[in-house]
Amino acid sequence: MREISKDAKELLEKALQEHMAGNLHQAIELYQQSIDLQPTAEAYTYMGWAYSMMGELDTAIELCLKAIEIDPDFGNPYNDIGSYLMAMGRLEEAIPWLKRAITAPRYEPRQYPHMNLARIYLMKGMYTDALIEAENAIRVAPDYKPAHMLRHQILAMLN
């Protein structure tokens, strides 16, 4: 996380706690308060995630785009936009966002965009590409069980 004021960071942490507890409206209020003090890519991305959990995917995408404007190196909003587009059935539009997440300089769980790409390729009947992405997810996160499960599923389909 980039340099963030103490007050904005405290509000962001409180928002995440409320978010994890399922108090989405309270979390959104706290994310907004954090943004009002100091806009950060994290606050916009996580607020988008909260909106997505309420089914407001267009709002979630708009917030992720704001996050990218603030910090284009932060990978989370790219993956999130890709997954929201997937949920909307807009698979082709999702692919470039997921690829951007994979290459973002500041992003930890790189297995997620690989898994999302694998799922898209699987839905499109592109089994070899799906297998490659599942294996990429395993390479990035060897203990990530969903990637192993998806890999086995794809291998079974190829046999």
Side-chain angles (χ1 to χ4, degrees):
M1 194 180 304
R2 292 180 348 197
E3 245 344 274
I4 179 172
S5 75
K6 182 180 180 222
D7 292 339
K9 186 175 183 176
E10 285 177 8
L11 285 165
L12 181 58
E13 289 170 358
K14 286 180 187 174
L16 280 167
Q17 289 172 355
E18 292 296 330
H19 195 153
M20 293 302 117
N23 302 322
L24 299 178
H25 293 287
Q26 179 65 26
I28 288 168
E29 285 180 31
L30 291 165
Y31 288 131
Q32 187 60 57
Q33 290 174 25
S34 178
I35 288 166
D36 290 345
L37 284 178
Q38 182 182 353
T40 62
E42 291 81 2
Y44 275 118
T45 301
Y46 302 152
M47 186 163 62
W49 180 30
Y51 274 105
S52 79
M53 295 173 81
M54 297 187 306
E56 297 184 38
L57 298 179
D58 288 324
T59 300
I61 289 170
E62 288 173 23
L63 292 166
C64 285
L65 290 171
K66 288 181 180 181
I68 292 167
E69 283 178 30
I70 291 172
D71 184 358
D73 289 345
F74 186 49
N76 298 55
Y78 297 105
N79 181 67
D80 291 359
I81 289 172
S83 45
Y84 304 150
L85 290 169
M86 284 175 63
M88 298 164 91
R90 294 160 56 184
L91 303 182
E92 285 301 322
E93 286 178 69
I95 292 170
W97 291 103
L98 298 170
K99 288 181 176 181
R100 286 285 306 271
I102 290 168
T103 61
R106 198 166 69 85
Y107 189 45
E108 289 301 315
R110 289 187 199 276
Q111 69 270 25
Y112 295 151
H114 285 296
M115 286 293 288
N116 284 330
L117 280 171
R119 289 183 185 107
I120 287 174
Y121 293 147
L122 196 56
M123 286 186 262
K124 294 173 57 115
M126 299 167 64
Y127 302 121
T128 303
D129 291 329
L131 180 61
I132 290 167
E133 290 302 332
E135 289 176 343
N136 284 338
I138 291 167
R139 196 169 6 270
V140 170
D143 296 331
Y144 188 58
K145 290 189 186 346
H148 289 278
M149 291 169 32
L150 184 60
R151 180 179 177 274
H152 288 295
Q153 177 188 354
I154 296 166
L155 286 171
M157 295 171 106
L158 289 170
N159 285 333

